[in-house]
Amino acid sequence: MQDPNADTEWNDILRRKGILPPKEKPEEEEEDEQLHQPQSVVKTYESMTLEELDENEDEFSDEDELAMEMYRQKRIAEWKANQIKNAFGELNEISGQDYVKEVNEAGAGIWVVLHLYKPGIPLCTLINQHLSYLAHKFPQTKFIKSISTTCIPNYPDRNLPTLFIYYEGEMKAQFIGPLVFGGMNLKCDELEWRLSETGAVKTDLEENPRKQVQDQMMTSIRCSAPSRRNGDEDSDED
C-alpha cells in the first residue's frame, strides 16, 4: 500500500484534488512552529495594569481592541471604586468653617463620625485614640474631630465627649456625655460595636463586647454572695 505521506508526484496530485489529506508534519516541526507563532495580546492583557495597557496599546491586534477596551473600562471602574472605598483612613481635625463641607456635603454613600472634644479631658483623649485606630480599620468611613466650642459656640463641657453620626449629611445617631461611654473603662472594640449598631462601620465582631463584661460581673457577684448556713435557715423557720 502506498504511503500517503510519501513525497511523490502522484501523491501531490491526489492532495491537490482533495483525495489525500495534507501531508502530516513531523512533531518537531509542529513544536518549532508553535514556538515562533506570535501570541495574541488577548491572552496576556488581563494581567496588565492600566499603565501597561497604555504602553502596549500599539501591539494589540484589531481583533483584540474591543476586548482590551472593555477590560480597560472594567479596571478603571474598579480603581475608582477602590479609591472611594479607601478615601479616608485617618482621624482628621476640622474647624467650624469646615463643618458644612466635611459633614453636610460629605457625599453620597458616605458615613461620617464626628467627635466633639476638648484637650485636657481624659475621656476625650481616650476616644480620640480609639477613633484613630478605627479610622485606619474602616477607611471607607470618614472619622473627624473638632474642638467643641470651635465647632459649636458655647457648647457645654458637661456634654463631652460627644459623637455625632451622619450618613449622606443627615444625622443618624448621637452619643452625648461621659456616662453614655461608660467612663475611662471604654474599650476600643466596645466603641466599634456602638458605631456598628448605627451603621457607620461594618464590624467583624460577632457580639457586643460589653455583654461579656456584664456577664462576667454577674458571675462574679453570684460567686461572691455569702451562702446561708443550715443553722441560719433553721432559725428562720422557727
Side-chain angles (χ1 to χ4, degrees), residues 15-65:
R15 288 191 193 100
R16 286 197 297 271
K17 293 183 176 294
I19 299 173
L20 285 180
K23 182 181 177 182
E24 295 180 1
K25 296 181 180 179
E27 291 184 3
E28 292 182 359
E29 280 187 32
E30 290 185 356
E31 292 176 359
D32 188 60
E33 285 187 7
Q34 291 175 358
L35 289 174
H36 290 85
Q37 284 180 352
Q39 297 294 316
S40 172
V41 183
V42 172
K43 297 180 180 179
T44 59
Y45 73 83
E46 291 188 356
S47 62
M48 292 183 180
T49 63
L50 291 173
E51 292 78 9
E52 291 171 335
L53 286 172
D54 291 334
E55 292 173 1
N56 295 277
E57 188 172 4
D58 294 339
E59 300 180 13
F60 287 94
S61 66
D62 292 339
E63 60 187 27
D64 291 333
E65 285 294 333

Side-chain angles (χ1 to χ4, degrees), residues 8-173:
T8 65
E9 185 176 352
W10 176 245
N11 279 353
D12 288 341
I13 293 172
L14 294 178
R15 288 191 193 100
R16 286 197 297 271
K17 293 183 176 294
I19 299 173
L20 285 180
K23 182 181 177 182
E24 295 180 1
K25 296 181 180 179
E27 291 184 3
E28 292 182 359
E29 280 187 32
E30 290 185 356
E31 292 176 359
D32 188 60
E33 285 187 7
Q34 291 175 358
L35 289 174
H36 290 85
Q37 284 180 352
Q39 297 294 316
S40 172
V41 183
V42 172
K43 297 180 180 179
T44 59
Y45 73 83
E46 291 188 356
S47 62
M48 292 183 180
T49 63
L50 291 173
E51 292 78 9
E52 291 171 335
L53 286 172
D54 291 334
E55 292 173 1
N56 295 277
E57 188 172 4
D58 294 339
E59 300 180 13
F60 287 94
S61 66
D62 292 339
E63 60 187 27
D64 291 333
E65 285 294 333
L66 180 59
M68 182 272 291
E69 183 60 28
M70 291 175 63
Y71 182 71
R72 185 201 301 274
Q73 294 303 322
K74 178 182 177 183
R75 292 296 296 271
I76 291 174
E78 290 174 350
W79 178 81
K80 288 182 177 179
N82 190 59
Q83 289 295 104
I84 293 173
K85 182 179 179 181
N86 299 289
F88 309 112
E90 294 182 358
L91 175 63
N92 292 318
E93 184 91 25
I94 69 167
S95 66
Q97 296 176 343
D98 302 323
Y99 186 89
V100 173
K101 177 184 176 182
E102 297 294 335
V103 177
N104 298 109
E105 299 176 357
I110 301 300
W111 284 92
V112 178
V113 177
L114 170 62
H115 179 209
L116 298 184
Y117 77 101
K118 264 194 176 178
I121 298 179
L123 185 54
C124 288
T125 302
L126 177 66
I127 289 178
N128 275 335
Q129 293 173 355
H130 291 339
L131 292 179
S132 293
Y133 172 81
L134 294 175
H136 179 73
K137 183 175 181 179
F138 302 102
Q140 67 276 19
T141 299
K142 178 187 286 190
F143 287 85
I144 52 180
K145 62 181 179 178
S146 179
I147 295 176
S148 57
T149 50
T150 300
C151 194
I152 304 176
N154 302 316
Y155 194 76
D157 288 355
R158 67 177 180 274
N159 288 348
L160 301 179
T162 292
L163 286 185
F164 291 142
I165 316 299
Y166 296 85
Y167 179 68
E168 297 184 343
E170 181 180 346
M171 185 180 293
K172 295 297 182 180

